[in-house]
């Protein structure tokens, strides 16, 4: 019996073979690597990926919430199933159990893609890289540079820790059922020597800056800085979208010092 996509899980199954091959080529699994796939679904990406994985890299670990799909995947060789909500998975413990950093891949459920990205940010030091299919609008925001409407809190909070690159667009007809949006593949490479700072403080600072993005920063971030007794010099006669990631990071370091 065919599996019926479940709306509450945000299920859209990838079916376009050319797109699938392109994603596997981009991931390019190699000897001795530890791959984890989020949301394998019917295995459209899982099985071609497994076929490309050297024996030394198997099994492929998959995180699947849907009980029926998890049961089907368990019947496959060289697949290890973690039946769980991905937001509850401890990727640090998983890396520890595997004795290696993780390469994380997947077609993320669009309805919770941003929470998943922030959840994974907590384990970034245990990750080699990440390749995800997401709503194109989200990928555009993740990879955006300052000066445009796509640049915002998501851009800053991910780019301080990762090099983010959109590598492939995916049309709705590549899925069953077709989503109502365009999709894209994003590559995320953690920086080997990240800037040391208080991530929660950066998050608060950036949220404040973009809370009134059409106004100058003195109306939003300025008040936040004033409340913290900040006495340094930071140009608040700009809008948040004009400030590069490096400046937000440097300010967070200064405030947290």
């Amino acid at each position: 019996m065919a599996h019926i996509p479940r709306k509450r899980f945000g299920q859209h199954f990838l079916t376009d073979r050319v797109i699938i091959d392109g994603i596997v080529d981009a991931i390019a699994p190699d000897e001795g690597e530890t791959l984890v796939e989020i949301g394998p679904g019917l295995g459209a990406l899982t099985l071609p990926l497994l076929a490309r994985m050297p024996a030394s890299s198997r099994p492929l670990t998959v995180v699947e919430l849907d009980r029926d799909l998890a049961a089907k995947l368990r019947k496959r060789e060289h697949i290890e199933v973690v039946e769980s909500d991905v937001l509850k998975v401890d990727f640090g413990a998983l890396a520890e159990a595997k004795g290696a950093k993780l390469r994380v891949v997947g077609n993320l459920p669009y309805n919770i893609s941003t929470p998943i990205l922030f959840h994974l940010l907590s384990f970034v030091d245990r990750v080699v890289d990440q390749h995800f299919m997401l709503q194109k609008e989200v990928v555009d925001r993740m990879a955006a540079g300052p000066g445009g409407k796509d640049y915002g809190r998501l851009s800053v909070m991910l780019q301080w820790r990762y090099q983010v690159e959109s590598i492939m667009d995916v049309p709705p007809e590549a899925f069953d059922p077709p989503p109502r949006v365009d999709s894209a593949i994003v590559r995320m490479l953690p920086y080997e020597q990240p800037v040391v700072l208080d991530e929660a403080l950066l998050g608060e600072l950036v949220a404040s800056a973009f809370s009134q993005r059409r106004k100058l920063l003195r109306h939003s971030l300025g008040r936040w800085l004033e409340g913290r007794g900040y006495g340094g010099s930071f140009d608040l006669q700009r809008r948040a979208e004009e400030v590069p990631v490096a400046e937000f990071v440097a300010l967070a370091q200064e405030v947290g010092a």
Side-chain angles (χ1 to χ4, degrees):
M1 183 175 172
H3 184 86
I4 299 171
R6 298 185 182 179
K7 191 174 287 187
R8 70 190 177 97
F9 292 157
Q11 290 176 338
H12 294 277
F13 299 122
L14 187 61
T15 55
D16 188 309
R17 189 72 211 193
V18 173
I19 297 290
I20 292 167
D21 287 345
I23 297 169
V24 175
D25 286 344
I27 296 167
D30 208 346
E31 293 284 349
E33 296 179 336
T34 302
L35 271 73
V36 178
E37 183 185 6
I38 296 171
L42 297 172
L45 178 60
T46 314
L47 302 181
L49 198 55
L50 194 58
R52 283 277 293 275
M53 288 171 65
S56 63
S57 297
R58 296 173 178 171
L60 170 59
T61 300
V62 300
V63 179
E64 179 55 65
L65 176 60
D66 188 313
R67 182 176 53 193
D68 295 340
L69 292 176
K72 289 178 181 177
L73 289 161
R74 282 196 186 92
K75 295 175 182 176
R76 297 275 187 176
E77 276 192 315
H78 309 303
I79 294 178
E80 179 181 274
V81 180
V82 177
E83 188 177 328
S84 173
D85 177 345
V86 66
L87 296 176
K88 296 177 181 175
V89 174
D90 184 337
F91 286 89
L94 188 56
E96 185 120 358
K98 297 287 185 182
K101 287 190 175 185
L102 311 176
R103 299 193 68 197
V104 189
V105 305
N107 174 15
L108 300 190
Y110 292 180
N111 53 346
I112 57 163
S113 59
T114 300
I116 292 173
L117 292 169
F118 278 105
H119 179 60
L120 284 164
L121 185 57
S122 308
F123 306 104
V124 63
D125 59 336
R126 310 307 299 272
V127 168
V128 175
D129 60 11
Q130 297 173 173
H131 290 81
F132 296 132
M133 180 165 341
L134 295 157
Q135 190 170 333
K136 187 176 186 303
E137 177 190 329
V138 174
V139 173
D140 288 345
R141 288 195 283 126
M142 290 167 67
K149 64 180 177 60
D150 290 329
Y151 183 71
R153 174 175 169 264
L154 187 64
S155 320
V156 177
M157 292 306 296
L158 294 180
Q159 289 178 36
W160 84 270
R161 201 59 182 82
Y162 303 90
Q163 178 185 333
V164 182
E165 180 188 6
S166 178
I167 59 173
M168 187 192 310
D169 289 347
V170 182
E173 53 269 24
F175 299 88
D176 180 28
R180 296 178 182 176
V181 294
D182 288 332
S183 304
I185 309 298
V186 66
R187 175 182 285 138
M188 305 172 70
L189 301 173
Y191 290 115
E192 288 185 15
Q193 295 183 311
V195 174
V196 178
L197 52 70
D198 181 335
E199 184 184 327
L201 179 68
L202 176 66
E204 200 179 315
L205 184 158
V206 172
S208 169
F210 284 97
S211 64
Q212 301 180 63
R213 63 180 297 147
R214 292 186 180 181
K215 294 185 177 181
L216 296 178
L217 283 170
R218 60 187 170 87
H219 297 290
S220 53
L221 182 59
R223 290 173 183 168
W224 185 86
L225 290 170
E226 191 178 319
R228 286 187 160 266
Y230 174 72
S233 60
F234 187 82
D235 182 5
L236 297 169
Q237 295 301 114
R238 298 177 286 177
R239 292 183 175 83
E241 66 187 34
E242 298 176 79
V243 181
V245 174
E247 286 194 40
F248 279 122
V249 167
L251 181 60
Q253 287 181 296
E254 197 178 342
V255 172

